[in-house]
Amino acid sequence: MSRPLSTYTEEWAQLAAMGIKRTYKPGEIIHMQGEKNIGLFCITQGKIKNFVCFSDGTEKVMAIMEAPAITGETSVLDNRETMFSAQALVNTEVIVVPAKEVLSLMQRNFNFMMLLLEVCAEKIRCLELQAESVVLNTQQKLARMLINFYSYGIFSYRTDKKVLLVTHEQLAGFLGTTRPKITSTLSMFEAQGLIRRRRGVIEILDEISLKAIFE
DNA sequence: TCATTAAGTATGC
DNA sequence: GCATACTTAATGA
């Protein structure tokens, strides 16, 4: 990432001044897919996921992000329905800024426009990686996901960046598979000495070998 | 210590 | 072979 979101303190403050603050408890829906004119959601605290729901009840997770982060930018920019729903994963604080405020701020402020473009770029990368993974099997997808976690910081990680804070369930949502499949695949990785697991935590031990699985 | 949630496992489709 | 459902284990209040 060329410039982390957290360094845009001035732009962030401007957004905060223009929007309405809302808080969400874990599991609460921030916005639903298909909604229009929802505004820009600036995550100031907490962690959320973007996902798509299908009529049979299955869901596909598109991104998990931790504050500071932004969601809803696509429909602000093209004034169409959102494709994803967003849900709080922990106690989360959000500032909702109306679309027209965002657009006028973009016109006035180059840094702010760059901020939004960087948000878009990061999400496109995330989606590209997932699109490419279509041809891979579960084991390869999972290895790839673990590496992405590390190299793109799409998800949350501890400061040493080798320890991923993610549950098997979240990974299953991402990869379109079930949790037990993740559990057994991770067990294989662990037996091979590639990772180490604790409850809700995965530690990368052998990045090179993990990459070799999908390359 | 209890309730909640993550992880492990067995069974049936 | 994979998903569902049940069991066990860990965590935080």
Side-chain angles (χ1 to χ4, degrees), chain A residues 142 168 179-195 197:
Chain A
L142 184 56
H168 298 187
R179 194 191 48 73
K181 180 70 190 166
I182 299 290
T183 302
S184 68
T185 309
L186 285 176
S187 304
M188 277 179 47
F189 287 170
E190 190 171 40
Q192 293 165 26
L194 306 179
I195 59 164
R197 299 172 296 159

Side-chain angles (χ1 to χ4, degrees), chain A residues 16-36:
Chain A
M18 291 188 305
I20 301 155
K21 189 160 94 178
R22 290 191 203 157
T23 57
Y24 299 88
K25 292 189 174 61
E28 281 188 328
I29 298 291
I30 297 168
H31 66 75
M32 281 299 282
Q33 65 203 66
E35 286 177 342
K36 231 183 140 175

Side-chain angles (χ1 to χ4, degrees), chain A residues 16 25 33 53 64 70 74 105 113 119 133-134 170 185 193 213:
Chain A
K25 292 189 174 61
Q33 65 203 66
C53 278
I64 290 175
I70 280 176
T74 310
L105 187 57
M113 192 163 77
V119 167
S133 291
V134 167
Q170 288 171 336
T185 309
I213 291 172

Side-chain angles (χ1 to χ4, degrees), chain A residues 120-201:
Chain A
C120 289
E122 197 188 340
K123 290 195 181 177
I124 289 167
R125 279 186 186 279
C126 174
L127 297 179
E128 274 176 0
L129 283 163
Q130 292 188 54
E132 286 170 22
S133 291
V134 167
V135 298
L136 305 175
N137 63 32
T138 302
Q139 192 190 356
Q140 292 170 321
K141 281 185 201 170
L142 184 56
R144 200 156 198 257
M145 199 99 255
L146 294 175
I147 295 297
N148 288 347
F149 244 119
Y150 167 53
S151 54
Y152 288 100
I154 294 163
F155 318 102
S156 55
Y157 46 78
R158 294 212 181 132
T159 45
D160 59 10
K161 296 195 178 185
K162 296 257 177 186
V163 179
L164 313 173
L165 305 178
V166 66
T167 66
H168 298 187
E169 197 144 25
Q170 288 171 336
L171 288 170
F174 257 108
L175 299 184
T177 182
T178 55
R179 194 191 48 73
K181 180 70 190 166
I182 299 290
T183 302
S184 68
T185 309
L186 285 176
S187 304
M188 277 179 47
F189 287 170
E190 190 171 40
Q192 293 165 26
L194 306 179
I195 59 164
R196 194 159 58 206
R197 299 172 296 159
R198 290 194 302 283
R199 184 189 165 94
V201 177

Side-chain angles (χ1 to χ4, degrees), chain A residues 9-69:
Chain A
T9 43
E10 205 173 301
E11 286 72 31
W12 205 255
Q14 278 182 287
L15 280 172
M18 291 188 305
I20 301 155
K21 189 160 94 178
R22 290 191 203 157
T23 57
Y24 299 88
K25 292 189 174 61
E28 281 188 328
I29 298 291
I30 297 168
H31 66 75
M32 281 299 282
Q33 65 203 66
E35 286 177 342
K36 231 183 140 175
N37 276 327
I38 53 172
L40 191 69
F41 289 80
C42 309
I43 320 297
T44 50
Q45 265 176 56
K47 187 153 81 169
I48 69 156
K49 69 172 181 185
N50 274 352
F51 64 104
V52 184
C53 278
F54 298 97
S55 48
D56 66 352
T58 57
E59 67 173 53
K60 170 77 179 77
V61 180
M62 307 309 289
I64 290 175
M65 50 201 142
E66 204 165 40

